[in-house]
Every structure is written in structure tokens, then in C-alpha cells.
Amino acid sequence: MRRSLFLAIALILNTVPARVLAQTQVTQASIAPMPLNRALDAFAHQTGLQVVYRAEIPDTLQSKGAPAGLPAEQQLKRLLQGTGLDYRAVTPTTYTIVPASAPGNVQAGNRPADKPLPAIDPTGGMKDLAPVSVSANAVDTLAPSAAPLEATQPTSVIDERFIRDGLRFNANFDDIIKYAPSVTVSSPEGPGLGKNEGISIRGFQDGQFNITFDGIPFGDASDLHHTTSAYFNNHVLGQAEIDRGPGGGSTIGNATFGGTVALRSRDPSDEPGITPYLTIGSWNTRAGGVNVDESLGSHTRVFADVSKEASDTYLKGTNDKREHVFLKTITQLGDQTALTFVTSYNREHQNTVQGATLDEIAKFGWRYGLSNDPALQSYQGYNNAAYYSSFTYLGLTSRVGDWDVDNKVYLNTFDHWSRKTSDASDNNRADNSVSFYNAQGKKVSTVKGDVPGKLADSGFHAFGDVLRLARDLGPGSLSTGVWLERSLDARYQLPMDLTTDQYTGTKYGPLQNYQLDDRTDTFQPYVQYDWKITDTTTLSPGVRYSAVTRSLDALLNKVSPPEPSKAEATYHATLPSLSLHQKLSDSWTAYAQAAKGFLAPPIDVIEINGSHGLKPELTTNFQLGTSYASRQFTWGADVYYIRFSNLLAETTVATDNGNENVYVNGGGAIYKGAELEATYALTHALSFYANASYNKATYRDTDVQIAGTPKVTGTLGMLYSSEQGYYGSLMGKFVGKQYGLDNTTDDSGRTVFANSQRLGGYMSVDGAIGYRTEHGLPGTRGFSVSVDVNNIFNVHKLTSYAGTQSVSGEPLFFGLPGRGVFLDLSVKL
């Protein structure tokens, strides 16, 4: 098996050098005496080496500094002298900080007797046990993502430097990940503005892959979708990792087969300060906020961020407003115990668009969103929405005997209120008509010309616990744990006359179209063993059991006529996994992986009659890949094959409540492809980045491409980051052709699988340029200024299919937002 693995990798990557680049011995500039963690950061920045150390290194540990003129390793020794710490070379480009008495170190130092040894993980691992990498890019320049050497599946890590320097201040997490391999996003209102209309990874759509925050899965209770603008912006994120695979047994979540977008919150800085920031830009965008890093006593560090933003956005009439509050504290309770508290609250108001027909785009232009005519359903004043979300957790990491313990208790809330017309894309006054009904369902009047609409609200509270345990055992390490969650959801909808702002009642008698409560319970225990067969070979078998129970208690269900309903369905699966990780050299690794995947059907299956009896989605995933990292060059490559059973396809049916999306079993499907990404350091400050992906997803035994799956994607970029404080990037993202639909309903009501609504390929180029300094006006600690430009060449292309108009049946689309220019300013006090 190992010989086959190596042969396959060699065939894919036959130009890879057999040896890593020789480590540079260029002498370095001096580093002044300062707190050790700051000295290590300065050393890493000027040498381009990656230095991994635990965040719990006490602020009281001081480095005596190091003079200029020393090779990198000698300078690092001088920085650590007298601290009780030493270093170990993990690769030629990566050093981990360890206790001086730890075996295998380069040199044993002397630990002062009066200073307790800080709680350092000798492996340079994380503070918690969630399977999220903390590896930064090995090259010493800005880069959108890199493949870590320790990966056991296709992985791209996006570090904090790119999140800060490559994107505008108020970017959302979909903007952060959009340059990564196989990822496409559709944000028609502009970067960080309005609601994202779709994220795709290898053709898996939002809801078919995981999104986690600090290792905790989250998503809409009913269908696992995510409103990106309703959660975390890049002010509060420290890292994003995209795992394009199901992971091992320890990878928890509802839809791991499609991958995991793992978001990590920003840690409090060791350097206290207050940083106000401001953004002004295109489409009347204005935003401001302040973040604070501070210490409370000697054991607690705090990071807080408050921001507010308003914009007309690229699409006219949408008028987006957003407020966000975030707080994180880390308290050291002992040498090996830390308590983390995080709470986040987000509020967003906007006028929501439904898409536009091709005729509307041709008539009103690419910026058409909503009209200003109260006689039309497209009137901006009739189509309003508000999103309220919060995310709070309390996490404890510790060591109990031989076990490392990581436990997070959390509460995640989301509420979506909306008032909108029957079809926000309809500009035909002849389609307006409102009927009123009494309590017995008898029509009492019809008003021609009045605008029909509906008022709706949906909200959930999800509370749960993620417990992870790990320990060394025999020739490897054992990890086990469990994820428990209960999500309580409530929804209602009432028909309205929006011209007079009156409830109309329904032809069945009740005032509401529907009113229901539902509950989802999730139980996922897991176990995984990482068996270190040799110093270079690790085999990791694992198994996760997933059980999802959905229950419905509806006063009025989504059926015609609406009626009370109670229902419950339980879906479960045992999901084994096996991965092999091989260290080919200090800078080159390879992996192979096989795993089962599972996704329970959405709550629609027990809400809508037409979806009853659907089976859960099941997958078998196979992946083979490799990663390489040196100071000058990093790259990763992989191939994958995914066999899908019971693939759920979304289709649209007409109901008394308007068009509703329901799910049908699409049978089997095959996802397969190849991915490659690389960063090459042209100089110490300038690097070149590229990735390319081929993704084919078809229904089994057909040539029908699954909707929303571009066969080809790619990214090209130049990135700059100098010691003088200047930084910038020029990034181009290509998305190949795709189809908006893969099925239709014929006259007999049968689902027919065929492609339609073709969307051509496009390329968009974004740029950023900025300057940062630690020297500023008196009373400040420096400032930063940057200009970010999205879609530099003002390309206009359709990016996603948005359904059909209710009356005309004409297809609706979203497009690429035009050129936007944003100025970001910040001052550290």
C-alpha cells in the first residue's frame, strides 16, 4: 500500500525536488530586550522562519535580546537564554519552543529555580484538541492559503496576516476563503456587504459541508445553511482552515463529507492597546469601530471589538446596516489549565433582493436590485429583513492525569425576521392583487392593485457541549469525545396587504400560512487512534457514530390546507475512517484517506408532504495527496473520488404560500477531481501564489453536472509584505462555467434530471495596498492605512441562479458586483 501511495504521488508531482532547499545562514538584525513572546514574533518576521509556541507563555518571561550579525539559529538561542526554554527544529523552516529539560532538544538550558516552568506543549500543538491546524505559511510573505505538512486530507490554512492585510476591514468569512482551491462564493452586494447567496466547495453547497467556530459546529437548525453577514467579520477572526474532506473520527459535524470550514477566533494580544478603525468606500459605505487588547490582573487577557457599518451596497435599494460586538477572555487557572470565554452578538438590517431577470438587467443595469415605486412588488420599502445572532461559549482546557481535556459548553442563537412581497423581482403592476378572508376562510373582498406579501419570522436556540479527550497510549495517541446538541426552532408566516399594512387571513380560515415548532437533537461520539508505526509513518483508524432526531410540533403545518401536525424522524449512521500520513522528508509529506460520510435530511422532510420518506445522504470518500514546505516554496496537491448515495436535490414547487423549495432523492452521484496550490517566494518580501482545481460532479450513469459545480476554478496572485511596513496583494479568481439547474418537474409531476440555465465562466481581480508603522503621532503607537479594490476591471458576469419569478416563471440571477474601492484607516493608542 505504501509503495502504491508513493508511486501515485510521484506520478502526479514528478517535478518535486528530492531535497529541501538549504537553510539560509544570512545574519540577522539585532533584537532588543523585550517580552519573550514579542521577541519570538520579531525573530520569525525578520528570518521568515515559523516559530510555534503556546499562547500561555507568561508575559513576565523576558528575553535579553540578541545582537546583530548572528545566524538565525544562534540568534534564537540568545533570545531564549535564561528563560528555561529551548527550541527544537521540526522542519528546516519550523521551530517549536519547548521546556529546556525536554528530551531531544538541540541544547539543554538552565531553568531559573525561582520561575515555574510555563505550560508548554512540547509538540507545538494547540490549546485545545479540536482538529484545526495552527500552522502558518512557511514562506515569509503574505499568502491567501497554504497546505500544512501535518495534514491528513486536502487542507488550506488561511492565516491572520492575509485576513488583516489582504481584505477590507469588514470582510465576512466567505470573503476570507474565496481564493482557496475549489471554493466559489456569490456575494452580489459587494465584499462584506449584504447576504451571501451561496458558497460552494467542490460543488458541495452551503449545508453540505461543515462550518465550525473554535471547533463548535453551527448552522441554521432546519437546513444547516449560514447567513455569512450575520456572524463573524474579519476583525475577530484569527485563522480560517478549509478541510476539503471528511476528516478522521475526531472531525465532528453534520456534513463532514463535504469538508469543513474551521474558523478560529482571534486571541487577545500580549501587547495592550486600543485601536479605533474606520472604513469609507464605494456605494456610500461607511464603517467604524474599536478593538481593545488588555490584561485583567496577571492571569486574564481580554480582546474586545465593537463595530458598526452602513452601506447602500452594489445592488440599489438594499441599504444594509450592521452592528457587531465581540468579547474574548483567556484566564490562566494554573500551569496546565486555561478558561476561555467568548461571546458575540450581531444585528443586521437590510432590504432583501430575490434576484433579477435578464430583461431587468438589460433594462435597469447590473446594479438593479429593488425599485423606489410603492406600486410595485419590487419596492424597497416592502422588502425588509433583520438578522439577529449570538454565539457564546465557555471553554476549559486542562490536563487530568494522563489525559488532555478540552470542553466547550455553548449557546448559539439566530433569528430572521422578514416582511416581503410575493415576488421582490416583479415589476408588473398587473400582477398585484390582494384577497381578504374571514375566520371561516370565506373571501370577503379583493383589492386590485394592492401589493401582496407576507410577514415571517424564524429563530432557533442551539445549546450543546463539545468534549474532547486525548492521551498518549502505546506507540501512538488516543483521542475520544462526544458532541451533544439540542436546537429549538420556531417559525410562522402571515399573508399581508403591504399597501395598507393589513393581515389578509387565508382561504382556509387561520390568520397564518403556518405556525410551527421543531427540535433537532444531535449525538456524535467518536474515537480515533494515531498509531505511529515508525518515526515517519502514522496510521489513524477512527470511527464516529452520528444520530440525528428531528421532531415537529406544528399548530399549522406547511401543507394545504394547513393543519396541526406532530411528527418525528431519527437518522443514524456509523462512520469509519482510515488515514495514512507519511513523512517523506523534513519538508515533504504524503497522505491517503478513506472515510464514510452522512447527512440527515432537512426538517422539510417532515414539514412538507412531498418530501416524506427521504433517506439520509451517504458518501464514501477516497483522497490521496501531498504537501511540501520550505522557506521559499510551499505547495499541496491532491486527487479525490466521492461516491454518493441518496443525494438530495432541491426543486421548486408552487404552493398556496408561493413557490417553496422541496427535496427529492436524486439517487447516486459521483464527485471527483484534482486540486493544486502553491506559493513561491520570489524575494524576502514578494511572493507568487497560484491554485487550480478540476471538479466534476455528475448524477450516476449520466452526464448531468450537479448544479452550482464549476468544473474548473483557479487563482493567481502576487503578494508583498516588507519590513518597512508596506504590504499589498493582487489576486485574480477564475470560476469556470456551471449550471444553475440540474432538474425540472415535468407535466406529470416527475422529477427529470437535465442541465439548464448555463452560467459562463468569469475572472475577477482584486487588489490591496497598504502601509503600517509602529511610529505615529504623539500619544499613539502607530497606524495603518490601506486601499482595497474589488473587481478592478469592473467585469460584469452572472454568478448564480436564484430561482424563478412566481408569475412569469422567468429565471432569476445574481451577478458579480462591480468595481468597489475602500479606504481603511486604523490608529493604535
Side-chain angles (χ1 to χ4, degrees):
M1 179 178 179
R2 290 174 55 186
R3 178 174 297 179
S4 299
L5 168 66
F6 302 154
L7 178 59
I9 293 170
L11 290 174
I12 299 170
L13 304 156
N14 56 8
T15 61
V16 175
R19 297 180 56 86
V20 300
L21 299 177
Q23 181 175 323
T24 181
Q25 290 297 317
V26 175
T27 56
Q28 309 301 329
S30 64
I31 298 177
M34 63 179 70
L36 177 61
N37 39 33
R38 290 178 55 195
L40 292 174
D41 291 344
F43 170 82
H45 179 75
Q46 79 170 25
T47 62
L49 298 171
Q50 179 184 349
V51 180
V52 181
Y53 62 90
R54 287 288 296 247
E56 290 90 344
I57 289 183
D59 294 338
T60 55
L61 274 182
Q62 292 285 321
S63 170
K64 297 177 181 179
L70 296 177
E73 285 198 3
Q74 293 184 26
Q75 191 175 52
L76 182 56
K77 289 180 184 179
R78 293 291 293 271
L79 293 177
L80 295 172
Q81 190 173 3
T83 64
L85 300 174
D86 211 326
Y87 70 90
R88 176 158 53 90
V90 181
T91 76
T93 63
T94 303
Y95 291 83
T96 182
I97 306 303
V98 298
S101 58
N105 293 337
V106 174
Q107 178 181 353
N110 295 316
R111 176 165 56 93
D114 59 341
K115 287 188 178 181
L117 186 66
I120 306 295
D121 180 359
T123 65
M126 290 178 52
K127 298 186 292 292
D128 57 52
L129 305 178
V132 181
S133 172
V134 292
S135 298
N137 299 322
V139 292
D140 185 39
T141 47
L142 197 66
S145 67
L149 290 174
E150 64 269 29
T152 58
Q153 63 179 345
T155 301
S156 295
V157 177
I158 304 167
D159 68 16
E160 187 170 351
R161 286 192 301 171
F162 184 76
I163 293 174
R164 299 285 171 270
D165 296 346
L167 305 166
R168 61 175 292 255
F169 276 173
N170 280 48
N172 295 323
F173 64 79
D174 54 300
D175 301 303
I176 292 172
I177 68 174
K178 72 176 183 179
Y179 300 114
S182 295
V183 175
T184 61
V185 302
S186 179
S187 301
E189 296 175 51
L193 303 174
K195 186 166 70 76
N196 179 278
E197 294 297 337
I199 306 175
S200 172
I201 302 176
R202 293 179 169 176
F204 293 113
Q205 309 303 311
D206 187 19
Q208 292 183 310
F209 53 82
N210 266 358
I211 298 182
T212 64
F213 179 69
D214 285 350
I216 301 170
F218 71 96
D220 187 289
S222 65
D223 57 12
L224 306 181
H225 281 69
H226 304 81
T227 303
T228 58
S229 58
Y231 284 100
F232 316 105
N233 60 28
N234 69 341
H235 290 293
V236 304
L237 295 176
Q239 188 184 78
E241 177 176 304
I242 304 151
D243 296 325
R244 299 181 301 275
S250 60
T251 306
I252 59 171
N254 289 294
T256 57
F257 62 79
T260 296
V261 176
L263 308 174
R264 285 188 56 80
S265 61
R266 177 176 168 184
D267 281 338
S269 172
D270 295 321
E271 183 177 345
I274 300 173
T275 306
Y277 51 86
L278 173 70
T279 296
I280 55 175
S282 297
W283 319 312
N284 196 27
T285 299
R286 60 271 184 211
V290 59
N291 61 55
V292 178
D293 290 285
E294 192 54 80
S295 295
L296 300 180
S298 59
H299 300 291
T300 300
R301 295 180 298 143
V302 179
F303 168 70
D305 184 88
V306 179
S307 65
K308 186 173 183 178
E309 181 177 42
S311 177
D312 296 343
T313 86
Y314 178 70
L315 295 181
K316 293 180 179 179
T318 52
N319 301 333
D320 185 53
K321 296 180 180 179
R322 180 182 182 186
E323 295 90 32
H324 185 251
V325 179
F326 182 88
L327 174 68
K328 181 174 185 177
T329 67
I330 300 177
T331 302
Q332 197 70 31
L333 301 179
D335 288 348
Q336 297 181 313
T337 303
L339 184 69
T340 300
F341 173 74
V342 169
T343 187
S344 172
Y345 176 76
N346 192 91
R347 180 175 62 188
E348 181 181 21
H349 296 263
Q350 66 172 188
N351 302 330
T352 56
V353 295
Q354 190 172 323
T357 66
L358 294 178
D359 287 342
E360 288 172 338
I361 294 173
K363 182 177 180 180
F364 302 113
W366 286 94
R367 289 199 63 188
Y368 174 72
L370 295 168
S371 74
N372 55 9
D373 185 350
L376 300 178
Q377 291 192 48
S378 60
Y379 176 52
Q380 58 185 335
Y382 295 147
N383 294 283
N384 322 116
Y387 302 90
Y388 307 91
S389 72
S390 70
F391 203 111
T392 301
Y393 78 80
L394 187 66
L396 181 70
T397 59
S398 187
R399 187 169 182 85
V400 180
D402 294 330
W403 290 91
D404 292 315
V405 180
D406 181 349
N407 191 59
K408 292 185 175 74
V409 180
Y410 66 91
L411 171 66
N412 171 25
T413 71
F414 182 84
D415 186 83
H416 175 204
W417 173 92
S418 65
R419 187 185 69 160
K420 57 186 178 181
T421 60
S422 296
D423 191 332
S425 69
D426 194 339
N427 286 301
N428 188 351
R429 297 188 185 190
D431 295 335
N432 295 345
S433 179
V434 175
S435 295
F436 288 82
Y437 301 87
N438 62 19
Q440 288 71 45
K442 182 179 179 180
K443 184 186 295 186
V444 294
S445 65
T446 296
V447 183
K448 295 290 186 180
D450 277 12
V451 175
K454 48 199 171 186
L455 176 71
D457 188 83
S458 61
F460 70 83
H461 293 70
F463 51 93
D465 185 273
V466 178
L467 173 65
R468 299 182 180 277
L469 305 170
R471 60 162 297 170
D472 292 333
L473 184 65
S477 60
L478 174 70
S479 59
T480 186
V482 63
W483 171 39
L484 298 168
E485 182 181 274
R486 168 162 288 183
S487 179
L488 303 176
D489 184 47
R491 298 169 186 259
Y492 68 81
Q493 186 188 90
L494 299 96
M496 291 187 69
D497 180 333
L498 294 178
T499 303
T500 61
D501 208 25
Q502 293 178 294
Y503 299 125
T504 66
T506 68
K507 66 180 181 181
Y508 300 110
L511 194 62
Q512 300 93 346
N513 285 326
Y514 60 81
Q515 183 177 359
L516 57 90
D517 296 301
D518 60 77
R519 187 184 77 201
T520 300
D521 292 324
T522 303
F523 172 58
Q524 279 192 14
Y526 72 86
V527 63
Q528 179 175 312
Y529 185 71
D530 299 317
W531 175 23
K532 199 169 182 62
I533 300 174
T534 69
D535 290 341
T536 59
T537 305
T538 302
L539 184 67
S540 300
V543 63
R544 182 175 73 255
Y545 175 76
S546 183
V548 177
T549 299
R550 298 192 186 278
S551 57
L552 175 71
D553 185 1
L555 183 63
L556 295 170
N557 197 10
K558 289 184 179 181
V559 293
S560 298
E563 60 185 18
S565 177
K566 289 182 180 291
E568 184 173 288
T570 297
Y571 313 94
H572 56 87
T574 300
L575 307 171
S577 64
L578 182 67
S579 64
L580 176 69
H581 184 270
Q582 180 67 41
K583 182 178 178 182
L584 305 175
S585 72
D586 286 342
S587 296
W588 190 17
T589 61
Y591 57 84
Q593 182 189 60
K596 290 282 189 180
F598 161 85
L599 176 61
I603 195 68
D604 300 62
V605 301
I606 53 177
E607 285 179 353
I608 301 174
N609 284 341
S611 293
H612 281 185
L614 294 185
K615 297 179 181 179
E617 296 179 298
L618 300 172
T619 68
T620 304
N621 302 53
F622 301 96
Q623 303 193 102
L624 177 72
T626 185
S627 301
Y628 177 88
S630 72
R631 281 193 64 185
Q632 190 174 22
F633 187 39
T634 69
W635 55 262
D638 68 89
V639 293
Y640 67 91
Y641 179 89
I642 303 171
R643 188 169 63 244
F644 227 113
S645 300
N646 304 324
L647 176 65
L648 297 187
E650 202 168 3
T651 191
T652 303
V653 297
T655 72
D656 293 333
N657 303 329
N659 288 346
E660 297 278 359
N661 290 335
V662 299
Y663 294 84
V664 297
N665 263 133
I670 300 295
Y671 286 69
K672 57 186 176 182
E675 299 155 325
L676 171 68
E677 70 172 328
T679 302
Y680 183 77
L682 301 171
T683 70
H684 186 68
L686 182 66
S687 65
F688 173 77
Y689 173 82
N691 70 49
S693 306
Y694 174 77
N695 309 111
K696 184 177 182 181
T698 57
Y699 289 103
R700 195 173 298 171
D701 302 323
T702 75
D703 292 325
V704 178
Q705 182 86 345
I706 292 173
T709 307
K711 282 189 178 181
V712 179
T713 67
T715 301
L716 292 174
M718 297 292 293
L719 305 108
Y720 181 79
S721 178
S722 76
E723 296 179 5
Q724 288 74 37
Y726 295 97
Y727 59 88
S729 61
L730 187 66
M731 304 293 300
K733 177 76 177 190
F734 173 76
V735 177
K737 72 171 184 179
Q738 57 183 299
Y739 292 96
L741 281 176
D742 56 25
N743 69 83
T744 58
T745 303
D746 64 16
D747 294 338
S748 64
R750 294 180 305 170
T751 300
V752 179
F753 292 93
N755 283 127
S756 61
Q757 306 305 333
R758 182 183 184 275
L759 301 171
Y762 63 90
M763 185 165 186
S764 178
V765 179
D766 306 326
I769 185 170
Y771 175 74
R772 179 185 294 106
T773 179
E774 296 181 356
H775 307 287
L777 297 174
T780 71
R781 294 182 176 180
F783 67 91
S784 71
V785 56
S786 64
V787 175
D788 304 89
V789 185
N790 74 287
N791 194 0
I792 292 174
F793 299 106
N794 203 30
V795 174
H796 295 298
K797 294 286 186 177
L798 299 178
T799 59
S800 58
Y801 171 75
T804 59
Q805 277 194 336
S806 296
V807 176
S808 70
E810 287 295 310
L812 300 170
F813 301 94
F814 286 112
L816 190 68
R819 183 190 300 114
V821 182
F822 304 92
L823 174 67
D824 293 329
L825 300 168
S826 71
V827 178
K828 188 160 187 177
L829 307 176

